[in-house]
């Protein structure tokens, strides 16, 4: 006895759960057969057979014998004969892997046709035209897929024959024309392969099975797997399903279609789909005729419609999931040819999750697990209207999602004035700087021609939830002319454009958008998520407006409030600059005294907006020079001013010069020159070039003095707080006074003070001593002992190593994973992303960009250790993360795993993080740290 491996499974016997072995299509055909749905009989050859084939480049021994046995059973079941002259059995040979790869592999229909069975098909159906139509389709499909003959040869003949008989479309060809075409197709096969079209149906079948197996390694399929990162563990080879043909093209009581058990665009609980009467296979998808909506079937074919509705509920009650299925009607009988889980947009996912739970189809857990958190983004920002038709002008990086239209403006000041005046504005710049922030507030969206997904523009826009396209290099901006060029198109200030930050596309003109929606169902689903999750979800927000919005998104507090954003507002920047330029402590204190009430009001606003919830305020972090113009810019301005001064001087000298060179001419023009001299004087007075130059030179000197080789590793964060204690003292005072004032008004608040860039325990102790002193002063003046928490950022490697001691002083830690990742890798982020990171990712040295996806193997280990050591000294230590990673679902799972208390992310990502936090909890047992 030869005990060769079993490769083939009848639909009645195959394990419907084993998609790895039978492919998704095969497994579901088995499952549907076994639960009694009307599936045309057939069987599946496994992916094992595929891999055996690919290994040896020939069908494995025993496979064809097994297939013959199953074909004999099919003949018996259907009462038809394979290749029969009276009642032929035709089959489809269909590909299908464990992961759906739509259109990437091949399927051959109508196999088994030859000169003999063709006659049989005619006898059996009494429809000669149909038979020839099936035949010519089969020859072409088989020729292309199994024999590698280019489609062009066939298409060319089709075009020629249509022209010859004046037929606009292939449906207009009659039997004779199709007969002629089939003859020509057979001749093509003969010419191209040097052999006649195979007549033996088993030879056809053997060739077809090999071809389908080979399509797994076809370029299309390989590229697709690479693009969507489909690994061998997810799908290893294609199965081949052999399925009795049923014909939807046998007249007006026949048809074919595709359906969804619910509307995949809205989630509405009604059957959805399209069908065509008298059509076969791919006709619906191929769009040869316009299909009708399934709703119309109720009138046209009421009995079939009833069967479809029944099929729909049987599919859902079996699969507990929305299904996407294919069906064919042959002479009034409905067959189901395929089913798989339906792909839906975010809105439909959310709605169906809630509704299927209420129907008892799924559990709450399943409802929370079935949606990929990241897709919620679609619902949280405006999108381009689904059916717009416009060609994109240029494409940059998808830096911050959402779509927006507005008039182009090339600088932040104009954006501010025109935006305040109620105009819709898109701020377009080469790149943005912190001092452009006021322009962001008033703009609908931001477009830059330089900079990556982590450029200033991208980060700030994401934080504000505004659409941003960055690094759109095709756009060449000319600030001087106030215009931009994209190829031949010139865009002027005031021209309207539309940007889509989700795709990076830029369009000329206004394209309608649809608003974000936070539906009832979304609220319900996220409410369930909050009940399940262990992690709290906080938001990063710097203003009361952002804080309120984050609250609407369900933020449970502010995890990071950056005070430098407040410093950059137009009304404060001059005072901040004064403080920086101060030469003495007194001067600096004077400036700080003016900033104090402003900051106090800022904090009060945020505390009020977040009443009842914690607000973590981070003391000043960036280096001072970020609040001053760059040296290059100042040098340029000073040079211009010098030039202006020289020009004025020359003009002032004009009368004297003229008098000397040509006294006569001077006499003639003397009277005219007087008003010119007057105007010159006025101009000089109002412009005071000398003073302006002196002031700019002073700033330049300071900028040069502040220049650092590595500003990000330089004089910033707590280092500033310690060398200039008056700056942090002012901020601490503003926080505690704001808290005291809120307390007096009975507003429930939970302030937290956070120190950035801490490396040593001593640094933290120093700042803690300021806090204690100011707390007492505030108690003395306001009579309130403000309750608050004091904590540290952990974003310096050394601080992680010292977390045990840090936790003696700090009541909480917050991982600043942006800086911590830079420090752990010794990569400066901008340089890394602009120079070598893409190459590292492409060549597999690093799997991901560690600034987008938390590096669990390195940075994560440091975090884990810091949490453990911190909790040894301080079991109540609260720990969170406030880097951009805090909104990334994969990173959130890790944060749950190392038992953080919260994640903090930009407002619009809060819903995503809430769902991810719930999933992290539900899947915690399956979590494996990457090693
Ligand atoms: P794909 O994965 O590209 O959808 P399929 O194997 O599902 O490929 O088949 C392509 C088309 O042919 C589908 O419209 C399918 O419904 C149809 N089809 C496949 N097998 C049969 C069959 N036995 N009878 C009728 N139509 C079929
Ligand atoms: Mg299909
Ligand atoms: Mg930082």
């Amino acid at each position: 006895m030869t005990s060769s491996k079993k490769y083939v499974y009848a639909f009645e016997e195959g394990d419907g759960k084993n998609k790895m072995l039978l492919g998704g299509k095969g497994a579901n055909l088995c499952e549907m057969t076994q639960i009694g749905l009307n599936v045309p009989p057939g069987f599946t050859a496994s992916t094992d057979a595929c891999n055996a084939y690919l290994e040896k480049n020939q069908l494995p021994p025993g496979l064809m014998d097994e297939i013959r046995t199953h074909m004999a059973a099919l003949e018996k079941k259907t009462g038809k004969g394979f290749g029969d002259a009276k009642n032929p059995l035709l089959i489809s040979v269909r590909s299908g892997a464990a992961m759906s790869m739509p259109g990437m592999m091949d399927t051959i229909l109508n196999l088994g046709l030859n000169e003999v069975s063709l006659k049989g098909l005619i006898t059996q159906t009494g429809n000669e035209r149909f038979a020839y139509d099936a035949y010519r389709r089969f020859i072409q499909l088989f020729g292309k897929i199994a024999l590698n003959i280019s489609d062009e040869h066939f298409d060319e003949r089709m075009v020629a024959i249509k022209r010859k008989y004046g037929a606009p479309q292939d449906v207009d060809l009659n039997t004779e024309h199709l007969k002629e075409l089939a003859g020509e197709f057979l001749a093509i096969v003969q010419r191209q392969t040097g052999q006649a079209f195979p007549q033996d149906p088993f030879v056809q079948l053997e060739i077809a099975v090999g071809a389908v197996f080979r399509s797994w390694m076809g370029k299309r399929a390989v590229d697709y797997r690479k693009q969507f990162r489909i690994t061998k563990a997810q799908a290893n080879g294609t199965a081949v399903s052999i399925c009795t043909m049923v014909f939807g093209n046998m007249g007006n009581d026949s048809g074919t279609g595709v359906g969804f058990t619910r509307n995949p665009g809205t989630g509405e609980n009604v059957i959805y789909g399209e069908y065509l009467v008298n059509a076969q296979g791919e006709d619906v998808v191929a769009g040869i005729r316009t299909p009708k909506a399934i709703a119309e079937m109720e009138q046209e074919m009421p009995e079939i419609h009833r069967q479809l509705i029944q099929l729909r509920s049987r599919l859902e009650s079996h699969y507990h999931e929305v299904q996407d299925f294919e069906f064919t009607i042959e002479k009034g009988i409905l067959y189901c040819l395929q089913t798989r889980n339906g792909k839906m947009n975010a809105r439909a996912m959310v709605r169906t999750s809630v509704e299927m739970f209420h129907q008892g189809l799924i559990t709450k857990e399943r409802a929370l697990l079935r949606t990929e958190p990241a897709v919620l983004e679609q619902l949280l920002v405006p999108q381009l209207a689904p059916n717009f038709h416009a060609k994109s002008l240029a494409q940059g990086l998808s830096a911050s999602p959402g779509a927006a239209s507005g008039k182009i403006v090339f600088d932040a000041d104009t954006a501010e004035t025109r935006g305040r005046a109620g105009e819709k504005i898109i701020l377009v710049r080469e790149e943005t700087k912190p001092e452009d922030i006021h322009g962001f507030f008033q703009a609908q969206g931001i477009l830059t021609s330089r900079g990556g997904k982590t450029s200033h523009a991208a980060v700030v826009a994401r934080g504000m939830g505004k659409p941003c396209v960055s690094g759109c290099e095709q756009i060449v901006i000319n600030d001087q002319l106030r215009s931009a060029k994209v190829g031949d198109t010139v865009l002027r200030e005031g021209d309207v454009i539309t940007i889509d930050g989700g795709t990076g596309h830029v369009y000329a003109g206004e394209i309608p958008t649809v608003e974000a929606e936070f539906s009832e169902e979304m609220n319900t689903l996220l409410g369930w998520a909050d009940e399940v999750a262990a992690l709290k979800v906080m938001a990063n927000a710097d203003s009361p407006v952002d804080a309120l919005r984050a609250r609407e998104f369900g933020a449970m507090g502010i995890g990071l409030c950056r005070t430098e954003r407040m410093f950059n507002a137009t009304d404060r920047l001059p005072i901040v600059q004064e403080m920086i330029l101060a030469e003495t402590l007194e001067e600096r204190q004077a400036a700080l005294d003016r900033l104090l009430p402003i900051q106090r009001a800022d904090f009060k606003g945020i505390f009020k907006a977040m009443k009842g919830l914690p607000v973590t305020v981070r003391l000043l972090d960036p280096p001072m020079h970020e609040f001053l113009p760059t040296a290059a810019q100042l040098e340029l301005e000073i040079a211009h001013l010098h030039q202006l001064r020289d020009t004025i001087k020359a003009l002032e000298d004009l009368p004297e010069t003229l008098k000397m060179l040509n006294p006569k001419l001077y006499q003639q023009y003397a009277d005219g020159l007087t008003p010119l001299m007057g105007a010159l004087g006025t101009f000089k007075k109002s412009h005071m070039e000398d003073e302006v130059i002196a002031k700019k030179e002073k700033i330049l000197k300071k900028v040069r003095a502040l220049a650092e080789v590595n500003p990000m590793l330089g004089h910033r964060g707590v280092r500033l707080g310690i060398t200039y204690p008056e700056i942090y003292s002012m901020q601490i005072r503003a926080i505690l006074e704001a808290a005291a004032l809120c307390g007096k008004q009975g507003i429930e608040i939970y302030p937290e003070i956070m120190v950035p860039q801490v490396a040593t325990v001593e640094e933290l102790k120093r700042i803690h001593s300021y806090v204690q002193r100011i707390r007492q002063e505030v108690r003395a003046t306001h009579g309130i002992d403000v309750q608050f928490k004091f904590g540290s950022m952990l974003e310096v490697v050394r601080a992680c190593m010292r977390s045990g001691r840090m936790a003696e002083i700090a009541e909480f830690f917050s991982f600043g994973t942006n800086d911590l990742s830079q420090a752990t890798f010794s990569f400066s982020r901008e340089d890394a992303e602009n120079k070598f990171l893409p190459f590292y990712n492409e060549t597999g040295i690093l799997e991901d960009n560690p600034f987008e996806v938390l590096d669990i193997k390195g940075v994560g280990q440091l975090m884990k250790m810091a949490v453990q050591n911190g909790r040894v000294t301080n079991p109540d230590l609260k720990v969170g993360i406030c880097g951009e990673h805090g909104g990334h679902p994969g990173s959130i799972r890790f944060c749950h795993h190392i038992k953080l208390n919260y994640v903090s992310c930009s407002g619009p990502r809060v819903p995503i993080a809430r769902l991810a936090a719930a999933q992290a909890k539900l899947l915690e047992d399956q979590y494996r740290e990457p090693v």
Side-chain angles (χ1 to χ4, degrees):
M1 269 229 15
T2 54
S3 66
S4 67
K5 202 175 152 133
K6 180 175 169 69
Y7 288 120
V8 182
Y9 301 81
F11 290 168
E12 288 82 358
E13 66 173 330
D15 174 4
K17 302 282 171 283
N18 200 343
K19 294 187 182 167
M20 277 309 277
L21 186 70
L22 303 174
K25 199 181 285 169
N28 279 325
L29 284 166
C30 292
E31 183 124 334
M32 289 195 294
T33 304
Q34 291 161 33
I35 62 170
L37 298 181
N38 198 20
V39 174
F43 53 88
T44 300
S46 71
T47 53
D48 284 349
C50 174
N51 288 312
Y53 173 87
L54 291 173
E55 196 174 307
K56 296 250 165 71
N57 208 15
Q58 62 183 36
L59 295 177
L63 177 64
M64 275 317 288
D65 296 335
E66 268 190 90
I67 288 180
R68 278 173 193 274
T69 310
H70 281 89
M71 283 303 293
L74 265 198
E75 289 183 316
K76 222 170 140 200
K77 218 173 289 168
T78 57
K80 299 180 182 205
F82 199 33
D84 195 75
K86 290 211 183 69
N87 189 9
L89 170 65
L90 300 189
I91 54 174
S92 60
V93 178
R94 314 171 65 184
S95 57
M99 298 278 286
S100 156
M101 297 165 54
M104 291 304 122
M105 290 179 303
D106 298 317
T107 282
I108 298 175
L109 302 181
N110 304 328
L111 191 135
L113 275 177
N114 57 22
E115 297 298 318
V116 177
S117 59
L118 178 68
K119 302 261 152 42
L121 192 63
I122 295 167
T123 322
Q124 183 206 358
T125 61
N127 187 342
E128 202 179 0
R129 187 191 178 280
F130 154 71
Y132 275 103
D133 190 50
Y135 195 31
R136 63 95 187 168
R137 285 176 196 253
F138 171 54
I139 301 165
Q140 175 165 5
L141 253 185
F142 188 88
K144 172 181 149 193
I145 292 164
L147 305 174
N148 259 325
I149 302 171
S150 158
D151 252 344
E152 288 167 25
H153 300 290
F154 298 106
D155 291 342
E156 184 195 278
R157 290 327 302 155
M158 171 61 104
V159 171
I161 218 152
K162 280 198 287 196
R163 193 179 309 127
K164 182 167 163 194
Y165 296 109
Q169 283 186 310
D170 50 351
V171 282
D172 303 310
L173 296 171
N174 67 23
T175 311
E176 290 310 313
H177 306 152
L178 289 171
K179 213 184 255 183
E180 186 179 332
L181 189 63
E184 290 190 358
F185 279 10
L186 288 173
I188 290 172
V189 171
Q190 174 76 50
R191 253 201 326 275
Q192 294 296 319
T193 64
Q195 279 173 338
F197 189 80
Q199 290 290 310
D200 180 341
F202 275 106
V203 171
Q204 294 176 353
L205 181 51
E206 186 167 347
I207 298 174
V209 169
V212 171
F213 284 156
R214 272 198 308 279
S215 70
W216 177 254
M217 292 311 290
K219 184 173 158 39
R220 261 186 306 159
V222 171
D223 288 349
Y224 186 93
R225 292 199 291 280
K226 209 165 169 188
Q227 168 82 31
F228 291 95
R229 297 195 182 191
I230 298 177
T231 63
K232 279 203 169 190
Q234 293 170 296
N236 192 14
T238 179
V240 170
S241 290
I242 288 161
C243 189
T244 308
M245 281 303 295
V246 286
F247 299 105
N249 47 348
M250 282 193 141
N252 285 336
D253 55 354
S254 303
T256 184
V258 292
F260 274 84
T261 55
R262 296 179 195 226
N263 185 320
T266 63
E268 195 189 350
N269 187 8
V270 288
I271 190 166
Y272 176 91
E274 293 178 323
Y275 73 105
L276 269 176
V277 170
N278 199 7
Q280 185 180 43
E282 313 246 68
D283 290 0
V284 173
V285 196
I288 342 190
R289 279 183 278 152
T290 310
K292 296 176 185 172
I294 285 182
E296 286 181 46
M297 197 189 268
E298 206 169 353
Q299 301 292 323
E300 197 174 26
M301 307 170 115
E303 170 51 23
I304 295 297
H305 187 259
R306 198 192 53 76
Q307 288 184 42
L308 260 185
I309 299 292
Q310 197 184 13
L311 174 63
R312 158 184 188 246
S313 58
R314 293 194 62 188
L315 284 172
E316 278 205 351
S317 58
H318 180 76
Y319 285 100
H320 305 288
E321 183 52 84
V322 175
Q323 295 296 297
D324 162 357
F325 61 100
E326 293 176 358
F327 61 89
T328 283
I329 307 141
E330 181 182 305
K331 299 200 161 182
I333 300 172
L334 178 72
Y335 293 89
C336 190
L337 288 168
Q338 186 178 331
T339 193
R340 60 183 167 216
N341 290 346
K343 282 208 171 71
M344 286 169 277
N345 67 15
R347 188 167 18 141
M349 282 306 281
V350 170
R351 175 163 175 184
T352 53
S353 294
V354 173
E355 291 185 352
M356 289 200 296
F357 168 75
H358 287 311
Q359 283 176 270
L361 275 176
I362 55 173
T363 60
K364 232 179 227 191
E365 282 193 10
R366 185 72 212 133
L368 287 168
L369 285 172
R370 65 193 278 280
T371 305
E372 184 68 48
V375 306
L376 294 186
E377 193 154 72
Q378 287 174 20
L379 299 179
L380 304 168
V381 291
Q383 301 284 318
L384 292 182
N387 300 318
F388 76 95
H389 295 285
K391 213 175 143 272
S392 125
L393 201 60
Q395 188 176 17
L397 303 171
S398 51
S400 174
S405 303
K407 293 180 184 160
I408 298 176
V409 146
F410 291 103
D411 68 287
D413 290 342
T414 315
E416 187 176 44
T417 33
R418 293 182 72 162
R420 282 231 168 104
E423 289 180 76
K424 291 196 162 171
I425 294 301
I426 304 286
L427 177 60
V428 180
R429 289 188 68 67
E430 264 186 5
E431 56 188 345
T432 61
K433 299 221 181 63
E435 65 261 26
D436 292 327
I437 190 88
H438 56 293
F440 279 62
F441 287 126
Q442 297 303 329
Q444 306 299 119
I446 290 89
L447 168 63
T448 68
S449 60
R450 265 194 290 163
K453 285 192 187 184
T454 52
S455 61
H456 175 265
V459 173
V460 174
R462 274 203 293 279
M464 295 184 176
K466 297 209 175 190
C468 174
V469 172
S470 69
C472 191
E473 289 173 0
Q474 293 135 283
I475 296 188
V476 183
I477 298 172
N478 188 328
D479 269 327
Q480 228 82 112
L481 292 178
R482 309 219 133 236
S483 71
K485 259 180 126 174
V486 190
D488 294 336
T489 313
V490 178
L491 298 169
R492 299 213 163 69
E493 191 152 83
D495 288 354
V496 174
I497 55 168
T498 300
I499 61 170
D500 183 349
T503 61
H505 281 293
V506 178
Y507 304 86
E510 179 166 354
I511 293 172
T513 53
V514 288
E515 274 310 302
E517 58 163 354
F518 208 79
S519 63
E520 217 17 68
E521 285 99 1
M522 172 95 99
N523 263 327
T524 307
L525 188 70
L526 293 178
W528 296 344
D530 295 345
E531 284 166 24
V532 166
L535 284 169
K536 296 251 179 285
V537 178
M538 309 284 181
N540 300 347
D542 311 326
S543 69
V545 179
D546 283 359
L548 278 176
R549 218 163 47 99
R551 218 180 162 144
E552 278 167 24
F553 284 129
M556 303 161 204
I558 301 296
L560 176 64
C561 171
R562 284 162 287 210
T563 46
E564 54 272 18
R565 293 279 162 83
M566 304 167 178
F567 276 21
N568 266 314
T570 25
D571 53 334
R572 295 115 201 243
L573 195 57
I575 314 178
V576 174
Q577 291 181 344
E578 237 171 75
M579 178 218 17
I580 297 169
L581 294 172
E583 311 231 321
T584 64
L585 179 59
E586 288 72 34
E587 271 176 47
R588 186 158 45 249
Q589 192 59 54
L592 287 168
D593 288 346
R594 287 167 62 205
L595 279 175
L596 175 71
I598 300 176
Q599 284 250 284
R600 192 171 52 212
D602 288 334
F603 295 137
K604 233 181 112 184
I606 290 186
F607 291 154
K608 269 191 181 159
M610 295 307 288
K611 59 174 172 281
L613 298 173
V615 174
T616 308
V617 180
R618 181 177 72 185
L619 301 175
L620 194 64
D621 183 41
M624 298 277 216
H625 74 81
E626 283 200 7
F627 300 103
L628 298 175
T630 62
Q633 189 185 336
L634 284 164
E635 280 159 8
L636 196 72
E637 285 171 10
I638 291 169
H640 275 148
L641 285 168
H642 277 297
Q643 220 174 19
L644 186 64
R645 193 171 57 183
D646 293 347
T647 312
I648 291 173
K649 181 89 181 59
L651 285 171
E652 280 173 344
D653 292 346
L654 184 65
E656 281 309 311
T657 319
L658 197 58
K659 203 191 270 176
M660 202 170 73
L661 292 177
N662 192 334
K664 236 189 186 153
L665 203 61
Y666 171 75
Q667 283 302 327
Q668 203 175 330
Y669 285 105
D671 285 349
L673 284 171
T674 322
L676 178 65
M677 291 304 120
L680 217 49
T682 325
F683 179 83
K684 217 173 138 183
K685 222 185 242 158
S686 64
H687 281 73
M688 303 174 296
E689 323 84 64
D690 287 337
E691 268 171 63
V692 177
I693 291 175
K695 195 166 163 214
K696 292 217 188 258
E697 272 170 349
K698 184 175 164 193
I699 301 180
L700 181 59
K701 213 170 119 199
K702 190 73 186 181
V703 168
R704 288 199 176 121
L706 289 175
E708 290 174 314
V709 180
N710 283 313
M712 284 305 133
L713 306 176
H715 197 181
R716 60 176 292 210
V718 70
R719 276 100 72 175
L720 271 178
I722 285 181
T723 43
Y724 299 106
E726 55 282 6
I727 299 178
Y728 271 21
S729 295
M730 180 278 288
Q731 290 198 298
I732 295 164
R733 187 180 301 279
I735 295 167
L736 297 185
E737 286 184 354
L741 293 173
C742 286
K744 278 186 192 167
Q745 290 176 19
I747 301 167
E748 189 193 345
I749 51 154
Y750 299 93
E752 308 193 344
I753 296 174
M754 180 159 78
V755 190
Q757 298 294 330
V758 174
T760 77
V761 178
E762 200 51 41
E763 284 171 331
L764 200 59
K765 274 192 185 157
R766 290 287 163 90
I767 307 302
H768 191 239
S769 73
Y770 305 174
V771 170
Q772 291 310 329
R773 171 175 50 81
I774 295 165
R775 171 191 208 162
Q776 271 156 28
E777 289 167 11
V778 170
R779 182 165 42 185
T781 40
H782 292 270
I784 288 189
D785 187 21
V786 177
Q787 297 302 306
F788 62 93
K789 282 194 159 76
F790 176 78
S792 176
M793 293 279 292
L794 288 196
E795 55 186 336
V796 173
V797 176
R798 192 178 187 284
C800 294
M801 311 306 289
R802 298 284 289 156
S803 70
R805 291 293 314 285
M806 294 274 181
E808 289 171 5
I809 308 156
E811 291 163 276
F812 67 91
F813 289 155
S814 180
F815 287 106
T817 46
N818 297 349
D819 277 326
L820 190 58
S821 298
Q822 295 205 79
T824 307
F825 278 94
S826 283
F827 287 173
S828 100
R829 180 174 183 163
E830 291 277 305
D831 294 329
E833 288 182 337
N834 292 330
K835 305 231 159 67
F836 56 86
L837 249 186
F839 183 75
Y840 266 37
N841 291 147
E842 271 159 36
T843 53
I845 291 175
L846 276 176
E847 213 169 296
D848 296 297
N849 174 347
F851 301 109
E852 284 173 5
V853 179
L854 183 69
D855 164 53
I856 292 169
K857 296 176 195 168
V859 181
Q861 298 312 303
L862 205 51
M863 293 167 67
K864 189 161 136 186
M865 183 203 69
V867 176
Q868 280 165 359
N869 293 345
R871 293 227 172 101
V872 169
T873 30
N874 181 356
D876 296 331
L877 187 72
K878 182 167 93 163
V879 190
I881 174 176
C882 64
E884 274 195 76
H885 302 103
H888 177 263
S891 313
I892 291 172
R893 277 194 86 176
F894 177 72
C895 291
H896 174 86
H897 174 68
I898 59 170
K899 300 197 166 55
L900 295 198
N901 301 87
Y902 70 91
V903 297
S904 188
C905 56
S906 68
R909 288 198 78 81
V910 165
I912 296 168
R914 288 165 72 194
L915 186 58
Q919 293 187 354
K921 172 70 190 173
L922 292 171
L923 299 172
E924 64 185 0
D925 292 340
Q926 292 164 36
Y927 186 78
R928 299 283 169 275
E929 253 178 62
V931 281

